[in-house]
Amino acid sequence: MAEDLGDGSTAEMDEYETLMSTTDVELLKTAWRNEKAAPEILQFQALLVKRAREQIQLVEETVEEFEGSGMDPLTVSLYQMDLDRAQFLLRSYLRVRLQKVTANSLSCVLQIEKYMFYIWKNDNLRNRLSEPEKIFVKRCINDMEKHIEETVLSKLPDNYQSARRQSIISEEDDMVPEPQLDTFVACKSSKNFVSIRLVDSERPLEMERHDVSFVLYKVIEDKIGVEIDLV
Amino acid sequence: MHGRLACRLVKEITTGEKGQLQPFNDELLNEVTKECSENFLVLQSLIRKMQDEGLDFQTTRNADHYGALINHLSLIRNKRCLMAYVYNRAEIIQNLVWKVGLRLFELPEEIQEKLSHSEKEYFNRHSAALESYMSKMDLDLNVDMVPPKDPYIKVRVLDDVGEGIVVSDKAANFARHSMHFLKRTDAEPYISRGLMEELTG
């Protein structure tokens, strides 16, 4: 009897969680967490951001209406708090794509800002950006190039004046900062059963929903946001 | 000694406190670029010497070849050090744009003094780029930096902010040391500039 009850409630909980995890706020939270924890830039969630903004605007209007109509201030402030949180999430999501703060130090690892040269020359990465982000990156690159050119490169001998290559005899860009993808991340499966092929083992790693593992980023790279979320 | 000056330049970045700027070392930077030019001159003269001797530079492995190689490599190393110096400082500047303010005059004077002319320009251009991104998104991204616990916070004014500042339609007299109960989003710009502090607990 006790077992039955237990089973029943977990199934219900699962259903409830599945339902909850599909609300836009939860989706945005997940996208935000993924973006924060991934060592490289991820696909811009254009539709999600659009929906979130529409909803935020709706709540904003509602709050204003409430304030105007002399509604109970406590209720209004609860709405306001919810609104603030949603707004923080949205801002932080957009921000974290430009600039990532590493948890273990005061210094910032700038995402788009840091790897602008790398992202720009790689079509696959460039397409993960939103249009305004692309314009931003392009400007950043121009500004940085101009600054470096003025301060250093113009003072160097002819064959050594490229910002991307060490010298004229370099065959590829060998001065572009690249993100360190060969790194471990903590991840959690969002589906009931996920199997991950590991690099150094014959047996795949099997994860059930909510299992947390610590794996190499590149083995789960294409599963992020689909079967696996980063934590 | 090849590359010693450049090493000193890079050390200026690493010995300082993280995220803090040292004064821009124009002098040392110019000395390093001078060393680069010297390297290049030696490199060229060695290549010319080998050509005069009728040797193929690509295949000959004699003392002159390795002499040229060493000069080439030390030039590249110097270049990398110079770039690292400027680039790392530029990253700190990007950070200032985010954390302190979009306008150069919003930076404390101690910081402004440490920037080179080109760095100041870079600051302005980078903040303009960020601003235009924010206006395209129609959203200020440089406020709301910490997750909000409460929509209102208690702040103390640390400096003469001046009168006539309007926050959320309400004008208040922000005299020094006065305390206020403000909306977090209104107070944040002032807090990041060190004009107000948040009172906790």
Side-chain angles (χ1 to χ4, degrees), chain A residues 53 91 95 160 162 166, chain B residues 72 79-80 137 140-141:
Chain A
R53 301 192 62 148
R91 284 198 177 110
R95 192 158 51 214
Y160 298 85
S162 162
Q166 297 188 130
Chain B
H72 168 73
K79 177 183 175 182
R80 292 191 75 98
M137 299 304 286
D140 283 343
L141 296 180

Side-chain angles (χ1 to χ4, degrees), chain B residues 89-149:
Chain B
R89 286 178 66 94
E91 274 182 357
I92 298 177
I93 294 171
Q94 291 173 352
N95 222 349
L96 290 175
V97 173
W98 280 99
K99 298 271 165 66
V100 187
L102 290 167
R103 304 270 172 274
L104 196 57
F105 64 77
E106 286 178 44
L107 293 184
E109 237 164 71
E110 311 90 89
I111 295 182
Q112 284 191 42
E113 282 166 7
K114 288 176 180 161
L115 300 180
S116 74
H117 174 70
S118 177
E119 281 177 330
K120 281 183 190 161
E121 297 236 309
Y122 177 71
F123 180 95
N124 283 331
R125 280 198 298 266
H126 192 68
S127 62
L130 184 59
E131 244 180 330
S132 100
Y133 173 70
M134 293 195 297
S135 76
K136 244 175 240 114
M137 299 304 286
D138 197 20
L139 200 65
D140 283 343
L141 296 180
N142 56 346
V143 292
D144 218 358
M145 295 299 246
V146 283
K149 282 207 181 83

Side-chain angles (χ1 to χ4, degrees), chain B residues 73-92:
Chain B
L73 291 178
S74 97
L75 208 169
I76 282 181
R77 184 171 178 280
N78 277 343
K79 177 183 175 182
R80 292 191 75 98
C81 291
L82 288 167
M83 294 279 274
Y85 181 67
V86 176
Y87 196 80
N88 274 290
R89 286 178 66 94
E91 274 182 357
I92 298 177

Side-chain angles (χ1 to χ4, degrees), chain A residues 45-94:
Chain A
Q45 303 289 334
L47 287 175
L48 183 58
V49 168
K50 189 165 167 274
R51 286 202 304 270
R53 301 192 62 148
E54 284 166 0
Q55 281 165 25
I56 284 175
Q57 209 183 345
L58 198 70
V59 181
E60 261 174 355
E61 282 163 16
T62 320
V63 168
E64 259 172 47
E65 217 172 273
F66 284 167
E67 272 177 343
S69 66
M71 182 119 158
D72 175 24
L74 180 65
T75 318
V76 179
S77 95
L78 284 177
Y79 272 100
Q80 182 69 42
M81 224 186 299
D82 197 38
L83 179 66
D84 283 353
R85 287 190 183 144
Q87 242 168 349
F88 167 77
L89 204 56
L90 178 62
R91 284 198 177 110
S92 187
Y93 172 72
L94 294 172

Side-chain angles (χ1 to χ4, degrees), chain B residues 56-71:
Chain B
D56 180 10
F57 186 73
Q58 299 295 334
T59 53
T60 317
R61 297 283 178 268
N62 62 1
D64 289 342
H65 170 88
Y66 289 112
L69 188 64
I70 282 178
N71 275 287

Side-chain angles (χ1 to χ4, degrees), chain A residues 187-213:
Chain A
C187 65
K188 197 170 168 180
S189 68
S190 56
K191 292 278 183 314
N192 272 329
F193 180 79
V194 178
S195 150
I196 299 169
R197 191 188 299 270
L198 297 175
V199 185
D200 52 358
S201 141
E202 298 274 305
R203 262 183 39 223
L205 171 70
E206 287 164 4
M207 289 170 81
E208 284 178 35
R209 183 193 290 265
H210 299 325
D211 278 359
V212 175
S213 296

